[in-house]
């Protein structure tokens, strides 16, 4: 049997999504190993992660006139984090740069924007963000914008993507920024695929057939993304990978909508300073109780691999990768509690009889292909 540790350390390992910038905004120092959070430099090293995407996540609740400045602030925080830790990290803008950075013994950091509201409805901001180093943009988050419908929107007011939205896709193609359709409504995904001339990604999404969360991708969408030459990063979020966990989360949200909203606010960086501390302290007993309940039915690393299996059976091993969503999810799967445990994923894939070649593609090779196609 293949020695999974050797295989993992030889492979180019890429994680397509984490929200650690939100923690850094609250002063989290990524140079130290933490007991909390899911990503820091020591744990990225332990996990053999070669490329980590840092998503600059714009909360849709932020007032519209602050969308651009709030996004720039998150990019500033991410770039400053790279600069401060330049012995370990470097910004990658092309796949070639990523390989060079990794060959020099550092971790390549890929900067992304999560939520196209970041454009402030100005097309010129695509090129400006690209200039700042951003290489993928998720077109939307959990609330629809004026030009893109969210997967969570049950009554879309237009057919997925407006003419402006189509222009955004064309502009991203032109400047060399990857279009990310995670969080995008199926109608929008269809439109993106009609317009784009470049491969796209769903950076952190799973299979709807295995877990019927609206954020997950249908077989038709998975096939269409594969036909486009794109790829999909499997999200580690229990609600997306495990039916039983999703059922519990759904009932908690239905019974306690206000508390769940406030918890999401805490997770998504809506509150800061004393306000954050005060809310966190007040909700701590609830968080503890719910965490204990969810832990009883929590997802495991095997659920993640089930989704990988599903994608591979449907379209082949060329179109799947990893999009953990670390630091943007609550209670990650057992044996994948943080990024230091990534080698366990290689072990699980070896046990399921994947070839070394396929495992290397899944761990990062497929993403590098799309990164190179779109950004050089
Ligand atoms: Zn997300």
């Amino acid at each position: 049997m293949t020695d999974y540790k050797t295989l993992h350390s030889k492979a180019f390992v890429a994680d397509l999504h984490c929200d650690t910038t939100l923690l850094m905004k609250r002063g989290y120092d990524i140079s130290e190993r933490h007991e909390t959070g899911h990503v820091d430099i020591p744990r990225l090293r332990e996990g053999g992660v070669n490329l980590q995407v840092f998503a600059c996540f714009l909360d849709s609740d932020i007032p519209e006139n602050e969308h651009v400045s709030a996004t720039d602030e998150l990019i500033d925080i991410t770039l400053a984090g790279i600069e401060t830790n330049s012995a370990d990290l470097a910004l990658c803008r092309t796949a070639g740069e990523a390989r060079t950075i990794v060959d020099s013994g550092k971790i390549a950091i890929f900067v992304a924007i999560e939520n196209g509201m970041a454009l402030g409805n100005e097309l010129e901001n695509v090129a400006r963000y690209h200039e700042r180093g951003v290489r993928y943009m998720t077109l939307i988050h959990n609330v629809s914008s004026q030009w893109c419908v969210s997967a969570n929107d049950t009554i879309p007011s237009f057919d997925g993507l407006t003419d402006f939205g189509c222009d955004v896709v064309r502009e991203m193609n032109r400047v060399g920024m990857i279009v990310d359709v995670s969080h995008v409504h199926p109608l929008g995904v269809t439109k993106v695929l009609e317009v784009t001339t470049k491969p796209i990604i769903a950076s952190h999404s799973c299979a709807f057939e295995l877990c019927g969360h609206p954020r997950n991708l249908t077989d038709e969408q998975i096939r269409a993304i594969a036909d486009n030459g794109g790829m999909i990063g499997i999200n580690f979020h229990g609600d997306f990978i495990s039916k039983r966990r999703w059922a519990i989360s759904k009932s908690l949200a239905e019974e306690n909508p206000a508390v769940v909203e406030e918890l999401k606010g805490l997770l998504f960086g809506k509150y800061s300073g004393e306000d954050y501390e005060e809310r966190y302290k007040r909700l701590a007993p609830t968080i503890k109780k719910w965490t204990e309940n969810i832990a009883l039915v929590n997802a495991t690393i095997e659920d993640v691999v089930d989704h990988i299996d599903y994608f591979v059976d449907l379209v082949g091993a060329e179109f799947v990768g990893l999009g953990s969503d670390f630091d943007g999810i609550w209670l990650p799967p057992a044996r994948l509690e943080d990024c230091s445990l990534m080698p366990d994923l290689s072990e699980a894939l070896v046990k399921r009889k994947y070839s070394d070649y396929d495992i290397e593609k899944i761990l990062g090779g497929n993403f590098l292909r799309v990164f190179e196609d779109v950004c050089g």
Side-chain angles (χ1 to χ4, degrees):
M1 189 186 270
T2 312
D3 167 12
Y4 76 89
K5 286 184 182 160
T6 310
L7 173 62
H8 188 86
S9 64
K10 254 180 40 204
F12 188 102
V13 180
D15 176 16
L16 275 56
H17 200 94
C18 81
D19 287 309
T20 311
T21 297
L22 292 176
L23 300 185
M24 289 156 73
K25 194 181 165 199
R26 288 202 301 273
Y28 184 88
D29 177 358
I30 51 167
S31 70
E32 287 171 19
R33 197 182 199 289
H34 297 259
E35 293 299 320
T36 58
H38 308 143
V39 175
D40 51 48
I41 294 169
R43 285 186 285 178
L44 285 170
R45 293 276 191 203
E46 279 171 47
V49 177
N50 300 117
L51 180 151
Q52 179 65 56
V53 173
F54 275 61
C56 298
F57 161 68
L58 175 70
D59 190 337
S60 313
D61 284 351
I62 289 176
E64 204 179 319
N65 62 350
E66 293 170 26
H67 283 176
V68 176
S69 59
T71 307
D72 275 317
E73 187 194 353
L74 292 169
I75 298 171
D76 289 342
I77 291 168
T78 309
L79 296 177
I82 298 171
E83 183 70 33
T84 312
N85 297 286
S86 59
D88 292 291
L89 312 177
L91 173 71
C92 65
R93 287 158 299 195
T94 64
E97 267 184 7
R99 287 194 190 92
T100 308
I101 290 165
V102 171
D103 286 346
S104 76
K106 295 186 189 183
I107 301 164
I109 302 297
F110 180 115
V111 180
I113 289 175
E114 181 172 29
N115 193 353
M117 288 181 185
L119 297 180
N121 298 318
E122 298 287 345
L123 201 58
E124 302 86 78
N125 276 322
V126 174
R128 197 179 61 79
Y129 287 134
H130 181 269
E131 186 64 29
R132 298 208 66 197
V134 175
R135 288 298 180 269
Y136 86 57
M137 183 171 77
T138 316
L139 298 182
I140 197 68
H141 192 246
N142 290 340
V143 178
S144 295
S145 67
Q146 289 166 31
W147 54 270
C148 185
V149 177
S150 166
N152 284 21
D153 195 336
T154 47
I155 322 163
S157 58
F158 52 94
D159 64 348
L161 201 65
T162 63
D163 289 347
F164 177 80
C166 294
D167 285 342
V168 170
V169 171
R170 289 186 196 99
E171 179 67 356
M172 290 173 76
N173 283 171
R174 186 187 72 79
V175 302
M177 189 188 288
I178 304 169
V179 178
D180 177 21
V181 295
S182 281
H183 289 283
V184 176
H185 191 277
L187 290 168
V189 178
T190 304
K191 279 245 176 156
V192 167
L193 286 163
E194 279 167 19
V195 173
T196 187
T197 56
K198 301 272 176 70
I200 66 165
I201 60 170
S203 66
H204 57 306
S205 294
C206 301
F208 187 84
E209 269 305 305
L210 295 188
C211 181
H213 193 291
R215 268 279 277 108
N216 284 343
L217 300 166
T218 62
D219 288 0
E220 196 187 337
Q221 290 176 310
I222 297 165
R223 285 199 194 93
I225 292 171
D227 284 347
N228 151 273
M231 56 86 60
I232 297 148
I234 299 285
N235 195 315
F236 298 174
H237 186 13
D239 285 1
F240 302 160
I241 57 175
S242 156
K243 269 185 193 165
R244 56 191 192 283
R245 156 95 190 240
W246 167 227
I248 295 262
S249 297
K250 212 162 52 175
S251 66
L252 284 175
E254 277 159 13
E255 288 157 24
N256 316 273
V259 183
V260 169
E261 270 315 299
E262 198 173 358
L263 280 175
K264 277 188 193 163
L266 287 174
L267 191 65
F268 292 162
K270 190 171 171 185
Y271 315 112
S272 57
E274 272 178 33
D275 185 28
Y276 176 90
E277 300 300 335
E278 186 270 320
R279 286 172 193 270
Y280 193 86
K281 225 161 95 186
R282 182 165 42 75
L283 287 176
T286 310
I287 293 173
K288 186 169 178 286
K289 196 174 88 196
W290 287 6
T291 303
E292 283 164 4
N293 286 346
I294 287 179
L296 296 173
V297 295
N298 199 23
T300 72
I301 194 168
E302 297 302 328
D303 293 304
V304 174
V305 184
D306 285 348
H307 281 261
I308 294 176
D309 277 353
Y310 188 83
F311 280 92
V312 171
D313 285 346
L314 194 68
V315 291
E318 282 74 34
F319 308 103
V320 61
L322 313 174
S324 70
D325 213 353
F326 277 143
D327 288 325
I329 59 176
W330 182 23
L331 213 63
R335 282 187 60 211
L336 267 180
E337 284 89 351
D338 64 42
C339 67
S340 72
L341 297 165
M342 287 291 206
D344 287 23
L345 202 50
S346 291
E347 183 185 25
L349 290 168
V350 168
K351 278 194 180 144
R352 294 216 191 172
K353 311 278 185 239
Y354 279 88
S355 69
D356 292 7
Y357 181 66
D358 282 349
I359 292 174
E360 284 180 18
K361 280 190 294 192
I362 294 165
L363 291 177
N366 292 330
F367 177 65
L368 269 183
R369 181 195 77 233
V370 174
F371 189 9
E372 184 147 31
D373 268 9
V374 180
C375 309

